[in-house]
Amino acid sequence: MSSEPARFSPMANAIRALSMDAVEAANSGHPGMPMGMADVATVLWSEYLNYDASAPDWADRDRFVLSAGHGSMLLYSLLHLSGFAHPTLDEIRNFRKLGSPCAGHPENFLLDGVEATTGPLGQGLAMAVGMAIAERHLNAQFGDELVDHRTWVIAGDGCLMEGVNHEAIGLAGHLKLGRMIVLWDDNRITIDGATDLSTSEDVRARYAATGWHVVDCNGHDADDVRRALDEALADPRPSLVACRTIIGMGAPNKQGTSATHGAALGEKEVAAARHTLGWSHAAFELPEDVLAQWRTAGARGQAAHAEWKQRLGASERGAEFTARMNGALPTSTAWPEYKASLAAEKPKMATRKSSEAALGVLTQEFPLLVGGSADLTGSNNTKTPSTTPLTATDYSGRYLYYGIREFGMGAAMNGMALHGGIIPYGGTFLIFSDYCRPAIRLSALQQVPVVYVMTHDSIGLGEDGPTHQPIEQVASLRAVPNLLMMRPADALECAECWEIAISQTDRPSVLALTRQNLPGLRDDASENLCAKGAYRLRAAAAARKVILIATGSEVELAMKVADALEGQGIGADVVSMPCAELFEEQPAEYKADVLPNVPPQEILRVSIEAGSTYGWERYTMTNGLNIGLDRFGASAPIEDLMEHFGFTAEAIVPQIIERLGK
Ligand SMILES: Cc1ncc(C[n+]2csc(CCOP(=O)(O)OP(=O)(O)O)c2C)c(N)n1
Ligand SMILES: [Mg+2]
């Protein structure tokens, strides 16, 4: 370090002490990062960040994301010290224990002031890009008087090294998100040791090359941090503030080493640190004068908040803004009319096309829908006439060209949803759900209603072949908790699934959509049957011996199979199951009506889905029949593939008859 600090600031020391004491009490956690970034965070939270600790949900507050989520004690310390109602000191004492909101990593649903769940490195910063997009978009729509805030991030070496960082900063640089500022904890240490074990990258040059402003500072010199932050504020580009720090700063024998990264310092080292820091207070004891300074910092934004509330009250768009931030959908007459027209006309079309038609109505009716695609707009059919491009020169647009950045798109959508005021949807091929899967998982964990539009949902996509043909994706996405994995069978089901997706308040949805055309199967739109997850689309005519359960494009096939079985006097129900998760939530009587609990000798259950059969035993039981594909696909026209892999009534019916023992 060029210059050592003259002395440790008591406000920063309060963070250091709380962090090392909490980790010590839990005998688990990460003291190094909070101790290293305590000085930077103190400057940020006491002089720059615009927030009101007494009103964590103030819509125009600055957003702060701790992307280096392992340093969760930094955030818990800041929230407590600045006067948020939670965490209390007791909750901090119980850091990492069952029931404490001070979880190992910050969870957005456990504490106000935790804007995003972080811990999977890189995603916090990438979500912050989405928050910064949301801020500019809502600013363009509602003006400076209602929306005018910044997005701040603290990120570590790991966040900058992860691949998603490239996608995220590329998007932010391109969109010129100048109100986003990343404070990089440039401590040159990760778990395995010094960063030069694994990287020689010129991070600054990479950021500069993607359109970012870069400035350095000594992260232990408050004046130098202020100089850098002022420079960042003044620059119109998004900023990377490289804060040179010492990990575990203040722990005399361990600081500067990876030993402080992720383990309790130990009783002796904590005592030595107290001595070094000049902090004579007992564990979890906060001196009144220091706490008072922090509480003043946490109240700094109260005046700005009060002025904002006045502007909101005086604005003729105040009520609209509040409704928007609450995610409220206005009532629509066009939407039920659209669904009724589908039932009447039963159009034959691909569900990616019917999704486009549904979006045409929805985006016109609901301004909070903001769409996009990871460079597959013409294939995902995600763009509508109402969604003009959101660009660096026009943030009021509602369509994002994410580029070939599936993970960056997913993370940005999470950020937009967390920010509020937007329901984001974004498209790619279903196969590339694998590329954004960590973001899908975080959508589900964070309980945000993001909509993933995933087209080309089976071998039915044809000629592009096995690299592009999803096999295990639907099954594996069904395994994600709190995620609606939906696969509609026709235009009406597609509309119903869209309705379900945008009505969610606390979970994301994946819409798996076909490339190929599908016939209309339903002629009654009066009830959203997809909301039940599964329903009897057609009842057996002859005595019921078989229940065919299918999803998406295979429902049409199931209808043909049922025709053939009925032709031989074998009664067959066809159950369409667009969303297994929703079916699981139905009352037991309903489930037992759709899938009666009788032995297979009486009623054979058969699943038909052009993908992995994994998991279908849940509905067909051990003696059922699972028609699917448990190998990779092939490159050929769809008709040839379906025949080759046995997705024809001719191939399926004999298997059923054999099982029936006829
Ligand atoms: C995606 C992901 N991979 C791996 C980890 C495990 N992990 C947690 S912290 C860390 C090292 C991070 O280094 P840095 O960001 O420099 O943090 P510091 O050691 O400086 O606190 C790793 C590998 C993780 N949390 N997320
Ligand atoms: Mg580091």
Side-chain angles (χ1 to χ4, degrees):
M1 297 302 302
S2 51
S3 64
E4 283 296 316
R7 62 180 196 89
F8 290 104
S9 122
M11 286 177 83
N13 277 349
I15 296 173
R16 291 191 170 95
L18 275 181
S19 299
M20 66 181 184
D21 290 340
V23 173
E24 211 60 25
N27 194 22
S28 161
H30 302 76
M33 188 269 167
M35 295 177 79
M37 281 299 274
D39 298 309
V40 173
T42 299
V43 172
L44 176 62
W45 277 62
S46 62
E47 298 174 39
Y48 287 83
L49 189 72
N50 193 23
Y51 68 109
D52 174 357
S54 66
D57 58 354
W58 169 23
D60 200 30
R61 68 191 180 279
D62 281 1
R63 302 302 195 267
F64 171 78
V65 177
L66 183 72
S67 191
H70 58 281
S72 55
M73 268 313 306
L74 176 70
L75 184 48
Y76 302 148
S77 302
L78 289 164
L79 294 174
H80 177 74
L81 290 165
S82 64
F84 282 70
H86 295 276
T88 61
L89 209 48
D90 267 350
E91 288 167 341
I92 290 181
R93 277 183 213 273
N94 288 316
F95 174 53
R96 291 191 159 227
K97 303 240 169 74
L98 202 60
S100 171
C102 298
H105 293 84
E107 305 288 357
N108 70 307
F109 50 91
L110 291 180
L111 281 174
D112 285 337
V114 175
E115 303 282 4
T117 289
T118 54
L121 297 175
Q123 286 204 67
L125 193 157
M127 288 190 278
V129 171
M131 293 180 190
I133 294 171
E135 191 274 340
R136 280 298 85 189
H137 175 68
L138 292 166
N139 169 275
Q141 300 223 327
F142 290 93
D144 283 349
E145 60 166 10
L146 295 185
V147 184
D148 185 16
H149 55 266
R150 294 200 158 73
T151 306
W152 303 84
V153 178
I154 287 184
D157 300 302
C159 292
L160 272 53
M161 209 184 288
E162 288 288 353
V164 70
N165 188 255
H166 174 67
E167 300 183 21
I169 69 167
L171 198 55
H174 178 69
L175 291 174
K176 298 190 177 16
L177 301 174
R179 300 168 68 79
M180 172 167 181
I181 302 181
V182 174
L183 284 65
W184 168 27
D185 180 15
D186 179 16
N187 60 21
R188 304 188 190 173
I189 292 289
T190 66
I191 292 177
D192 278 355
T195 48
D196 64 11
L197 286 170
S198 59
T199 180
S200 313
E201 182 182 75
D202 184 343
V203 170
R204 292 163 182 77
R206 178 165 62 88
Y207 270 69
T210 43
W212 283 59
H213 158 249
V214 180
V215 57
D216 280 85
C217 69
N218 176 347
H220 299 300
D221 177 340
D223 280 340
D224 206 37
V225 173
R226 289 184 192 102
R227 174 195 54 78
L229 294 185
D230 288 339
E231 196 183 294
L233 289 180
D235 197 283
R237 294 165 291 178
S239 288
L240 176 72
V241 181
C243 309
R244 188 71 180 94
T245 62
I246 296 173
I247 190 169
M249 181 67 160
N253 306 300
K254 293 190 171 178
Q255 68 180 32
T257 75
S258 59
T260 65
H261 164 91
L265 295 176
E267 206 178 316
K268 259 176 62 184
E269 184 69 359
V270 168
R274 282 195 145 66
H275 182 73
T276 303
L277 298 169
W279 188 263
S280 54
H281 317 284
F284 300 109
E285 195 180 292
L286 295 165
E288 263 173 39
D289 57 332
V290 179
L291 196 55
Q293 277 179 291
W294 264 116
R295 295 291 149 97
T296 306
R300 262 173 46 249
Q302 279 179 3
H305 178 206
E307 285 162 24
W308 178 86
K309 272 209 291 209
Q310 262 192 346
R311 291 198 300 275
L312 180 72
S315 166
E316 54 187 34
R317 298 187 66 199
E320 181 193 350
F321 177 77
T322 303
R324 176 78 81 86
M325 289 304 288
N326 291 337
L329 296 172
T331 47
S332 164
T333 49
W335 179 247
E337 282 166 14
Y338 168 69
K339 286 201 300 175
S341 75
L342 295 177
E345 292 160 24
K346 293 174 94 174
K348 182 177 172 95
M349 65 207 299
T351 45
R352 64 175 172 143
K353 273 311 257 187
S354 50
S355 169
E356 178 181 22
L359 274 173
V361 182
L362 294 172
T363 54
Q364 181 155 30
E365 297 287 284
F366 305 131
L368 39 51
L369 282 168
V370 172
S373 168
D375 201 45
L376 288 169
T377 295
S379 299
N380 303 143
N381 299 18
T382 33
K383 185 148 177 354
T384 69
S386 336
T387 54
T388 55
L390 188 162
T391 66
T393 49
D394 183 5
Y395 292 116
S396 73
R398 291 166 57 200
Y399 194 81
L400 280 147
Y401 289 105
Y402 285 104
I404 307 93
R405 300 183 179 107
E406 296 83 7
F407 193 2
M409 172 176 75
M413 291 200 292
N414 282 337
M416 285 184 240
L418 288 164
H419 180 281
I422 287 175
I423 297 177
Y425 70 88
T428 184
F429 289 151
L430 179 60
I431 195 68
F432 302 129
S433 60
D434 288 351
Y435 271 54
C436 55
R437 202 180 164 89
I440 298 176
R441 185 171 197 275
L442 269 195
S443 306
L445 178 58
Q446 295 183 106
Q447 305 172 7
V448 286
V450 169
V451 187
Y452 293 88
V453 183
M454 302 277 183
T455 67
H456 298 61
D457 71 345
S458 77
I459 52 164
L461 67 85
E463 292 84 348
D464 273 343
T467 54
H468 283 52
Q469 292 164 344
I471 299 294
E472 75 282 18
Q473 280 64 31
V474 169
S476 70
L477 288 166
R478 275 190 194 121
V480 179
N482 200 42
L483 170 69
L484 298 183
M485 168 70 233
M486 297 192 270
R487 193 162 181 255
D490 72 352
L492 180 54
E493 276 202 4
C494 184
E496 290 179 342
C497 289
W498 262 112
E499 184 175 294
I500 294 163
I502 64 166
S503 309
Q504 299 304 308
T505 55
D506 59 4
R507 58 184 165 184
S509 304
V510 172
L511 299 178
L513 306 172
T514 64
R515 174 182 184 231
Q516 72 270 31
N517 281 338
L518 301 177
L521 298 170
R522 289 240 313 269
D523 44 26
D524 181 4
S526 56
E527 186 185 359
N528 186 330
L529 294 175
C530 289
K532 294 179 180 297
Y535 63 94
R536 188 177 297 117
L537 174 64
R538 153 179 174 166
R544 183 170 62 180
K545 287 283 167 203
V546 176
I547 298 177
L548 302 163
I549 313 164
T551 76
S553 42
E554 283 69 66
V555 178
E556 175 193 12
L557 174 58
M559 295 291 259
K560 289 182 183 152
V561 171
D563 282 342
L565 291 171
E566 297 277 0
Q568 301 190 34
I570 303 168
D573 280 1
V574 175
V575 170
S576 177
M577 187 179 274
C579 184
E581 288 85 348
L582 289 175
F583 184 63
E584 288 301 319
E585 291 171 9
Q586 300 310 306
E589 312 83 74
Y590 177 78
K591 289 204 272 187
D593 178 56
V594 177
L595 298 178
N597 198 10
V598 295
Q601 308 86 276
E602 286 176 45
I603 302 178
L604 176 69
R605 296 192 197 173
V606 181
S607 67
I608 310 178
E609 185 171 68
S612 169
T613 60
Y614 189 91
W616 272 110
E617 311 80 12
R618 170 176 285 191
Y619 299 111
T620 57
M621 305 189 291
T622 41
N623 293 311
L625 185 60
N626 301 118
I627 308 292
L629 198 59
D630 292 305
R631 49 155 291 178
F632 294 115
S635 171
I638 176 173
E639 298 76 19
D640 297 346
L641 287 175
M642 290 306 182
E643 193 175 330
H644 179 70
F645 288 117
F647 290 99
T648 61
E650 295 70 31
I652 294 171
V653 170
Q655 296 178 62
I656 294 175
I657 289 175
E658 192 196 322
R659 263 319 163 90
L660 290 172
K662 293 218 166 184

